[in-house]
Amino acid sequence: MASIHERDEAVKAAQNIEMVEVEDGYTLTNLPDESITQQFDIDQIPERDVTQEDLTASAKEDPTNWLMYGGGYQQQRYTSADVITPDNVDGLELEYLVQSGVSSSMEGVPIVVSGDPPVMYQTNGPNHMKAINARTGETLWSYTYANPQGLLLCCDANNRGAAVHGDKVYMTTLDSGIVALDRYTGEEEWYASTGDHEIGYSATWAPIVYDGQVITGSAGGEYGVSGFVAALDPESGDEMWKTNTTPAEEWAGDSQEHGAGTVWMTPTLDPDSGKIHAPVGNPGPDFDGTVRPGPNRFTIGTLTLDANDGSINWHYGESPHDVWDYDSSATKIRVNDMEMDGETRDVVLSPGKTAWEYTMDAENGQLLERSEETTQHINMWKMVPHTDEDRRVAFVPGAHGGNDWQPPSYSQETGLMYMNQNNAPHEIFWEEAQYEAGQTYWGGGLNDWPDVDAPEGWNGNLSAIVAVDPSTGERVWRDWISQETTSNYLWGGSITTSTGLMFTGTQNGNIVAYDGENGDRLWQFQLGAPICSSLSSWYDPGEGKQYVAVQVGGSGWLHGGRRGSTVAVFGLSE
């Protein structure tokens, strides 16, 4: 009997796609001529449209759903499911493995819509999506998007997850677009482009849907594009508003035209205030600040917008006039009613590549607290002389952080924020660069560990899993991971539970449950390949079980580790 993948035309189309390394990046070849949907037993999918009320309650108020990338709009990555506890987590068992059939980037978060049965929507590179029975692991439909020729990708053919609303499921596409599918059948409803892929725009993050809008961002900062946040009509894909992140009035001369400032991870949203907190990346070119004098607003930090029209409220910059590629790309966390210094405040939490956590006033962006360092600081902010292309500066954290894109989590129980951090040294150097459409616009480059001279004082640890109290800045605990354990970097994110647990995956293939209070490892399971994704968790009342899901396989352009194609789902009964 033929395997499901041998009968799956969408899988076969994705398997044929090849990622080819080109100068300073990647492109895709052997692309399908048209998008392909393969249906199996789609009658298993309950026809219950996802409402705005469902989205607002997801994960934190309603543990039966994990409807978006961060669990809920505030991206705390927290579930109120309480079956799995510190006392019984050692009984957590592997329920099933889903083989996507496509060995590619596996950075996505499986989202789950409650029902009988619950349905999982899972994505991976290059723009492949599945609907899965979340109880059994059975594939119900598969879809592969037909990207055009000529893609320009800095880092990998990533996709980090889907969004749902009504009868649709949404996915960003590598050609800087969004595609909407009928979530019951997998059939394509509409496609909308948000940027010109031929000059370097692309899209890899999970969008969010809020109040009749699909909210998305921009990628391509290494190609000299100009970043934006945009909202599309969820029924048609028509643009509703678009906000540029490098406005001319904030930049010198015409440098904003290629000033980057892309928003290449999922924005955070607070439904109570209607504010979007967008993570903003590096200015362009990355390493040559001489062509872009000034602070280069609104790059490297948190940009807060009004969700109704995209108007800018405030910005906090973590590295003004940056020349170290210190993107503030990780998802922000919104926490309302946090106790700080005897006051109750609404705050935004940002984990920086700079290896600090920043706690900001959600109303005006004022910095309230900067944490103790989460990894080492060596040669921090040291400038590279713009006189000799052979000059090198080794620094920690390197250009991947600290905290690169990997999303943090926050626990309502412990009051702590959890971050997966990198600690490897990089060397940067300057090169003169002229902007040319469709070419990388770095203004320099970097040497990756171990091809660098390790700076004096480096402790040899490649990464660390860190807990910080955002109300005080105290680093509460830290679990170092040494270069002797693994040569891969720590890419994925974490989740928290109402019972005080924190789950994450490591680059040596373990999914780990930590005691969120003290960092004790309470349980782990070896999955055989690096975990470069972020997890999700939900409660299924029909089975009386809490589940934890994670995608398995290396990704990224820096020490991502070997590829994979697996979704692992664990469960524990009441």
Short mmCIF file of all heavy atoms in Angstrom, two decimals, residues 152 198-200 223-224 258 434-440:
data_model
loop_
_atom_site.label_atom_id
_atom_site.label_comp_id
_atom_site.label_asym_id
_atom_site.label_seq_id
_atom_site.Cartn_x
_atom_site.Cartn_y
_atom_site.Cartn_z
N LEU A 152 14.60 36.07 -3.36
CA LEU A 152 15.84 36.48 -2.71
C LEU A 152 15.65 36.25 -1.21
O LEU A 152 14.84 36.93 -0.57
CB LEU A 152 16.13 37.95 -3.00
CG LEU A 152 16.28 38.33 -4.47
CD1 LEU A 152 16.32 39.84 -4.62
CD2 LEU A 152 17.53 37.69 -5.06
N GLU A 198 11.25 40.76 -6.16
CA GLU A 198 12.40 40.87 -7.06
C GLU A 198 13.44 41.85 -6.54
O GLU A 198 14.59 41.82 -6.98
CB GLU A 198 11.94 41.26 -8.46
CG GLU A 198 11.11 40.16 -9.13
CD GLU A 198 10.78 40.50 -10.57
OE1 GLU A 198 10.93 41.69 -10.96
OE2 GLU A 198 10.37 39.59 -11.31
N ILE A 199 13.06 42.73 -5.62
CA ILE A 199 14.06 43.62 -5.02
C ILE A 199 14.42 43.20 -3.60
O ILE A 199 15.21 43.88 -2.93
CB ILE A 199 13.59 45.09 -5.03
CG1 ILE A 199 12.37 45.30 -4.13
CG2 ILE A 199 13.31 45.55 -6.45
CD1 ILE A 199 12.00 46.77 -3.94
N GLY A 200 13.86 42.06 -3.13
CA GLY A 200 14.30 41.51 -1.86
C GLY A 200 13.26 41.35 -0.79
O GLY A 200 13.54 40.78 0.27
N TYR A 223 18.56 43.38 1.92
CA TYR A 223 18.52 43.75 0.50
C TYR A 223 18.18 45.23 0.30
O TYR A 223 17.88 45.64 -0.82
CB TYR A 223 17.51 42.87 -0.23
CG TYR A 223 17.94 41.43 -0.28
CD1 TYR A 223 17.55 40.53 0.72
CD2 TYR A 223 18.76 40.95 -1.29
CE1 TYR A 223 17.95 39.21 0.69
CE2 TYR A 223 19.18 39.63 -1.33
CZ TYR A 223 18.77 38.77 -0.33
OH TYR A 223 19.18 37.45 -0.36
N GLY A 224 18.22 46.02 1.37
CA GLY A 224 18.00 47.45 1.22
C GLY A 224 16.58 47.84 0.95
O GLY A 224 16.33 48.89 0.34
N HIS A 258 16.43 53.02 1.55
CA HIS A 258 16.99 51.67 1.68
C HIS A 258 17.36 51.39 3.14
O HIS A 258 18.31 50.69 3.42
CB HIS A 258 18.20 51.51 0.76
CG HIS A 258 17.92 51.93 -0.64
ND1 HIS A 258 16.96 51.30 -1.41
CD2 HIS A 258 18.43 52.94 -1.40
CE1 HIS A 258 16.90 51.90 -2.60
NE2 HIS A 258 17.77 52.88 -2.61
N GLN A 434 27.43 49.83 -2.46
CA GLN A 434 26.48 50.69 -3.16
C GLN A 434 25.18 49.92 -3.35
O GLN A 434 25.21 48.74 -3.70
CB GLN A 434 27.03 51.13 -4.52
CG GLN A 434 28.32 51.92 -4.44
CD GLN A 434 28.13 53.28 -3.82
OE1 GLN A 434 27.07 53.91 -3.97
NE2 GLN A 434 29.13 53.76 -3.09
N TYR A 435 24.06 50.60 -3.10
CA TYR A 435 22.79 49.91 -3.26
C TYR A 435 22.56 49.55 -4.72
O TYR A 435 22.73 50.37 -5.63
CB TYR A 435 21.62 50.77 -2.78
CG TYR A 435 20.29 50.13 -3.10
CD1 TYR A 435 19.82 49.06 -2.33
CD2 TYR A 435 19.53 50.55 -4.18
CE1 TYR A 435 18.62 48.45 -2.63
CE2 TYR A 435 18.31 49.94 -4.48
CZ TYR A 435 17.87 48.88 -3.71
OH TYR A 435 16.68 48.27 -4.01
N GLU A 436 22.14 48.30 -4.93
CA GLU A 436 21.73 47.81 -6.25
C GLU A 436 20.52 46.91 -6.04
O GLU A 436 20.59 45.95 -5.27
CB GLU A 436 22.85 47.05 -6.94
CG GLU A 436 22.52 46.59 -8.34
CD GLU A 436 23.67 45.87 -9.04
OE1 GLU A 436 24.81 45.95 -8.54
OE2 GLU A 436 23.42 45.23 -10.07
N ALA A 437 19.42 47.23 -6.69
CA ALA A 437 18.18 46.48 -6.48
C ALA A 437 18.40 45.00 -6.72
O ALA A 437 18.98 44.60 -7.73
CB ALA A 437 17.10 47.01 -7.41
N GLY A 438 17.91 44.18 -5.80
CA GLY A 438 18.02 42.73 -5.93
C GLY A 438 19.34 42.15 -5.47
O GLY A 438 19.56 40.95 -5.60
N GLN A 439 20.22 42.99 -4.91
CA GLN A 439 21.50 42.53 -4.37
C GLN A 439 21.55 42.82 -2.88
O GLN A 439 20.91 43.76 -2.39
CB GLN A 439 22.67 43.23 -5.08
CG GLN A 439 22.70 43.04 -6.58
CD GLN A 439 22.91 41.59 -6.98
OE1 GLN A 439 23.74 40.89 -6.41
NE2 GLN A 439 22.14 41.14 -7.96
N THR A 440 22.32 42.01 -2.15
CA THR A 440 22.47 42.27 -0.73
C THR A 440 23.14 43.62 -0.49
O THR A 440 23.96 44.07 -1.30
CB THR A 440 23.27 41.16 -0.04
OG1 THR A 440 24.49 40.95 -0.75
CG2 THR A 440 22.49 39.86 0.02
#
